[in-house]
Amino acid sequence: MELPSEGLEERLREVGSYLVFLRSIEVATMSGPPRLIGSAEPITAEQQRILYSSVYLQLYSAVEATITRCLDFVTIATLDHRKPKPGELSERLKRVWVQEVARTHVDLTPANRLNSALSLCNHLVEQLPVTSFKISKGAGNWDDTEIEEITKRIGCTLAVPQDAFKAAKRPFRNDKNALGLIKALRNQLAHGEISFAQCSEGVTVEELEQLTKLTAEYLKGVAASFEAYVAADGFMHKPDAELEPEPEGMAI
């Protein structure tokens, strides 16, 4: 399985390539309405705004793909390789595993609740190893706050470089920071609250490039944190480790 940072770089190259395309269009507008090669029809201002809006979707996709790869890096690739017993997991990851096996975070009928409890019981009685499992991510809606909560939930120390962390936290537009703005606009587009043309009204390629840079530097820190967590066996039990309180809303 590829490292989270490798998958992230692939996504960032795609966004970067698209920004180069948008920059060429923006430069062309200085000499009049730009035209696609072989087309007599000019690219309208509305079409240009629609093209700009796609960057927010690409960036949100990069955010969600990165956190998914990070979690899978822990719960699929690593656990499949190590096959630890439940008691060998760190307290935090053990809680997450129990939640997923017993489905304590899902509304179940009494019969299904019993089946889930029996599945966990049988696993423990038979002393089976913990192999790959998926961490429920709910409805998604990933931004920096959600990412930081999931890292705390599994016991991964988030070590984003200080400059990148502070830059990602500063208000970028509409009192929202970089990842908060991306999430908000993605949701508004998905729910039909705004059109693609409205989404990027008044936006320049320079602003999109800046937003991409802030997002990229933060996500690189996230990916590196998960890779360091796995390299240090952060998912394994350490006798002297103390269990901090669960983040609000994350208790089993």
Side-chain angles (χ1 to χ4, degrees):
M1 183 176 183
E2 69 177 4
L3 295 172
S5 57
E6 294 171 341
L8 173 60
E9 287 299 331
E10 181 181 357
R11 291 296 182 113
L12 294 177
R13 282 195 298 271
E14 291 176 349
V15 179
S17 177
Y18 189 70
L19 286 170
V20 170
F21 167 65
L22 296 184
R23 173 65 77 178
S24 67
I25 293 177
E26 188 170 87
V27 170
T29 61
M30 298 177 184
S31 303
R35 288 177 170 79
L36 293 176
I37 297 175
S39 173
E41 295 295 325
I43 298 174
T44 66
E46 181 182 46
Q47 290 170 333
Q48 194 171 344
R49 291 198 301 271
I50 292 171
L51 290 171
Y52 284 13
S53 294
S54 296
V55 174
Y56 300 115
L57 299 182
Q58 292 178 45
L59 288 176
Y60 184 81
S61 178
V63 172
E64 185 165 28
T66 298
I67 194 62
T68 297
R69 283 193 175 99
C70 284
L71 294 175
D72 287 352
F73 188 57
V74 175
T75 62
I76 295 180
T78 303
L79 291 180
D80 270 356
H81 176 67
R82 293 290 294 269
K83 293 182 173 56
K85 297 293 178 62
E88 295 175 322
L89 293 179
S90 69
E91 288 302 312
R92 283 218 179 274
L93 197 59
K94 189 191 305 178
R95 290 169 71 93
V96 173
W97 176 74
V98 169
Q99 182 184 44
E100 297 299 335
V101 175
R103 303 173 71 192
T104 61
H105 57 306
V106 180
D107 289 331
L108 301 171
T109 64
N112 285 335
R113 188 177 298 112
L114 175 60
N115 288 336
S116 295
L118 285 173
S119 177
L120 176 61
C121 179
N122 290 335
H123 197 114
L124 297 175
V125 168
E126 296 176 22
Q127 299 184 14
L128 299 175
V130 177
T131 54
S132 61
F133 68 97
K134 284 276 189 179
I135 296 178
S136 299
K137 298 190 285 292
N141 283 327
W142 292 104
D143 59 10
D144 53 301
T145 300
E146 293 295 324
I147 290 173
E148 288 156 23
E149 285 185 357
I150 196 68
T151 56
K152 289 178 184 177
R153 187 180 169 202
I154 70 169
C156 173
T157 300
L158 190 62
V160 178
Q162 189 174 38
D163 289 347
F165 186 84
K166 288 182 177 180
K169 291 293 184 178
R170 282 196 293 268
F172 186 84
R173 178 155 52 92
N174 299 336
D175 295 324
K176 297 184 183 300
N177 63 16
L179 273 72
L181 177 66
I182 292 167
K183 181 184 79 170
L185 292 176
R186 176 262 186 184
N187 287 343
Q188 288 178 306
L189 287 169
H191 299 149
E193 296 174 11
I194 59 174
S195 68
F196 278 79
Q198 291 171 326
C199 178
S200 60
E201 193 166 1
V203 173
T204 64
V205 175
E206 182 178 1
E207 180 180 330
L208 294 173
E209 290 171 338
Q210 184 181 5
L211 182 65
T212 299
K213 181 179 179 181
L214 292 172
T215 303
E217 293 305 312
Y218 181 86
L219 291 179
K220 287 177 182 178
V222 172
S225 297
F226 272 84
E227 290 170 10
Y229 169 78
V230 168
D233 288 344
F235 55 93
M236 298 294 284
H237 175 67
K238 294 179 174 57
D240 297 331
E242 295 184 2
L243 179 62
E244 298 177 359
E246 281 282 333
E248 186 178 350
M250 290 294 182
I252 294 176

